[in-house]
Amino acid sequence: MKILSVNAGSSSLKFTLIELPSREVIASGLFEKIGIDGSCYTIKYNGEKIVKEVELKDHSVAVSKLIEELLANKIVASLDEIEGIGHRILHGGSEFTKSLLLDDSVLERISKYNELGPLHNPANITGVKAFMKVLPNVPNVGVFDTTFHQTMSEEEYLYPVPMEWYTEYGIRKYGFHGTSHRFINKSISEYLNRNDLKVISCHIGNGGSICAINGGNVVDTTMGFTPLAGIMMGTRSGDIDPSIIPFVMKKTGKTAEEVVNDLNKKSGLLGISGISSDSRDVEEAALKGDKRAILAQNMYAQKIANYIAMYNNLLNGADVIVFTAGVGENSKNMRKMIIERIQSLGVKIDDDKNDFRGEFRLISTDDSKIPVYVIPTNEELMIALDTMELISK
Ligand code: AMP
């Protein structure tokens, strides 16, 4: 069975065509600058790469081009081979607790959460509608970033603010990266053949979040009402004192939106290092002795370590810690820096085992109190698996 896994942004559309149950990636690609000048696409399949610059007026045109290329290059012999399309959707509010089949009425319900994810949700819905238009007979499934976190208890998801903010406006912790944390939990649970594991999943990429999972249920996660909260990230501040916002507004004359934009786009590794949001650049500068880069790396590692220690307490002792995403999968130095900061938990890194990137491996010593793994995340596969399950019912 072939399933398309799709992530539509406001001007982009990323796809992976996956064969199930073998999990083989048949093709993948990216349509960029949709609706703006310089639009183009890249499709990779079977060792080949197609790169074209063409006008992509809207998402439907991009989807039509994708279909055209799949057929022209015999990636699929006929469109009937595509049995389902799974879509990443950022926000399902408190309403959507599982992935589900999409139709017009479900899309209408999802659009209620557009104001909670204004950059992503409308774009995700546009992507779904484009596929519905071009491939009207293929079922579409929505897979939300928020659903995995829906098992959090009130104690964890409520903020200690006036209760009306929650009851009237839905202000609570939602959490994000749910599909990645769910994939990590599934992978490590299958690998260790246990369904009662207490897992601390550390998704550290350009965005980052940590998730405490007990037997498949999320107990707490670091992102909040929006993906700005929690640990320090590439360009995002993570947790700060909210009083800073009106103070900076007064000092600079900026609007609240402008200050929040600075917290989203000019903070984190970039803000502190003054060099880059990319951990590779910061690491390189730190190795050359750049003081701000060293400071940025230390802060980054410490904030992650603090949450790991906190979640170990919340879980009353974790069974396993997992690193994933761009930094977690690839940066042995950052993994080491983080683990050195949780020595009080009896966690120990094995430098030889840690000397690699991008694979499923154990990196802790035999006598480490909590084993630590690196697992490459695969949100596209998770989306495809949910899609297969729902369309097979
Ligand atoms: P993601 O958002 O998951 O794609 O992760 C992006 C982050 O991963 C960026 O900060 C990259 O610098 C980081 N990254 C990717 N490859 C490496 C690598 N080989 N070493 C260190 N960091 C890496």
Side-chain angles (χ1 to χ4, degrees):
M1 162 184 300
K2 290 184 179 61
I3 303 281
L4 258 180
S5 188
V6 174
N7 185 352
S10 54
S11 64
S12 68
L13 193 145
K14 225 169 122 182
F15 80 92
T16 310
L17 182 65
I18 302 177
E19 180 74 47
L20 290 176
S22 73
R23 302 184 172 194
E24 181 199 349
V25 173
I26 301 163
S28 63
L30 176 65
F31 289 74
E32 291 176 275
K33 299 192 179 170
I34 299 171
I36 43 186
D37 283 350
S39 47
C40 59
Y41 61 85
T42 311
I43 298 177
K44 291 184 197 162
Y45 71 101
N46 211 9
E48 308 278 331
K49 188 169 169 182
I50 305 165
V51 183
K52 285 190 187 162
E53 281 183 32
V54 283
E55 196 192 341
L56 301 167
K57 189 165 63 71
D58 56 30
H59 284 72
S60 298
V61 175
V63 173
S64 301
K65 276 277 163 222
L66 165 61
I67 301 304
E68 215 176 283
E69 294 285 2
L70 292 179
L71 289 169
N73 293 287
K74 302 199 168 43
I75 299 168
V76 294
S78 100
L79 290 183
D80 297 340
E81 286 183 28
I82 302 172
E83 294 192 44
I85 304 158
H87 298 265
R88 182 242 177 168
I89 297 178
L90 180 84
H91 220 303
S94 304
E95 181 176 346
F96 294 98
T97 56
K98 283 195 179 107
S99 303
L100 81 170
L101 282 163
L102 300 172
D103 60 21
D104 287 340
S105 77
V106 176
L107 287 184
E108 186 69 40
R109 278 162 55 206
I110 296 172
S111 67
K112 280 196 305 206
Y113 304 104
N114 283 1
E115 66 174 357
L116 297 180
L119 296 180
H120 297 89
N121 260 38
N124 300 152
I125 293 171
T126 303
V128 179
K129 287 186 171 162
F131 277 95
M132 283 177 164
K133 185 170 156 194
V134 180
L135 295 175
N137 299 321
V138 185
N140 291 277
V141 165
V143 180
F144 302 83
D145 268 31
T146 45
T147 54
F148 187 51
H149 303 297
Q150 285 297 310
T151 52
M152 276 187 292
S153 71
E154 265 184 343
E155 261 175 56
E156 303 302 344
Y157 73 65
L158 284 180
Y159 292 111
V161 296
M163 192 54 116
E164 301 77 56
W165 291 12
Y166 169 59
T167 51
E168 304 267 320
Y169 312 122
I171 291 174
R172 50 160 285 180
K173 178 183 275 196
Y174 289 103
F176 300 89
H177 291 141
T179 310
S180 175
H181 291 302
R182 186 156 59 99
F183 177 82
I184 294 304
N185 183 64
K186 180 178 156 67
S187 303
I188 193 69
S189 300
E190 284 173 2
Y191 180 73
L192 297 174
N193 199 19
R194 295 227 344 233
N195 56 17
D196 60 343
L197 280 180
K198 294 189 274 184
V199 181
I200 300 177
S201 169
C202 307
H203 178 113
I204 345 174
N206 190 30
S209 69
I210 304 185
C211 189
I213 308 161
N214 189 349
N217 294 319
V218 173
V219 183
D220 198 7
T221 190
T222 55
M223 282 181 169
F225 178 62
T226 72
L228 179 54
I231 56 173
M232 174 173 166
M233 304 174 222
T235 60
R236 285 174 244 170
S237 62
D239 298 337
I240 60 156
D241 179 342
S243 308
I244 293 168
I245 298 173
F247 188 84
V248 173
M249 286 167 67
K250 269 193 215 128
K251 288 283 176 195
T252 61
K254 287 185 177 180
T255 62
E257 286 73 22
E258 285 167 337
V259 178
V260 171
N261 191 53
D262 287 352
L263 293 173
N264 267 306
K265 305 223 169 107
K266 296 185 179 166
S267 302
L269 281 177
L270 174 65
I272 296 298
S273 72
I275 293 168
S276 170
S277 62
D278 192 302
S279 72
R280 281 166 292 201
D281 301 336
V282 179
E283 198 168 308
E284 202 183 307
L287 286 171
K288 288 184 188 147
D290 184 284
K291 286 207 169 61
R292 279 178 61 182
I294 294 169
L295 175 64
Q297 284 215 301
N298 287 339
M299 286 173 67
Y300 188 83
Q302 189 62 51
K303 289 183 191 305
I304 293 167
N306 290 349
Y307 266 112
I308 295 175
M310 182 173 137
Y311 284 172
N312 185 62
N313 181 52
L314 186 65
L315 291 168
N316 201 14
D319 293 314
V320 57
I321 298 169
V322 183
F323 287 114
T324 193
V327 181
E329 291 167 27
N330 295 302
S331 175
K332 61 179 179 184
N333 290 338
M334 185 47 68
R335 293 194 295 252
K336 185 174 164 72
M337 287 177 71
I338 295 166
I339 293 175
E340 280 172 353
R341 286 165 172 77
I342 48 172
Q343 281 182 29
S344 66
L345 307 183
V347 179
K348 292 185 202 159
I349 192 160
D350 180 321
D351 288 331
D352 292 333
K353 288 187 188 161
N354 184 43
D355 191 11
F356 72 99
R357 40 180 297 238
E359 284 174 45
F360 190 140
R361 285 206 206 171
L362 177 76
I363 59 169
S364 49
T365 58
D366 291 342
D367 65 343
S368 175
K369 201 159 166 217
I370 309 172
V372 185
Y373 287 84
V374 173
I375 303 181
T377 195
N378 195 339
E379 290 161 280
E380 295 78 15
L381 174 63
M382 202 72 234
I383 291 171
L385 290 171
D386 277 10
T387 305
M388 176 175 77
E389 193 185 319
L390 279 157
I391 63 174
S392 306
K393 273 186 182 163

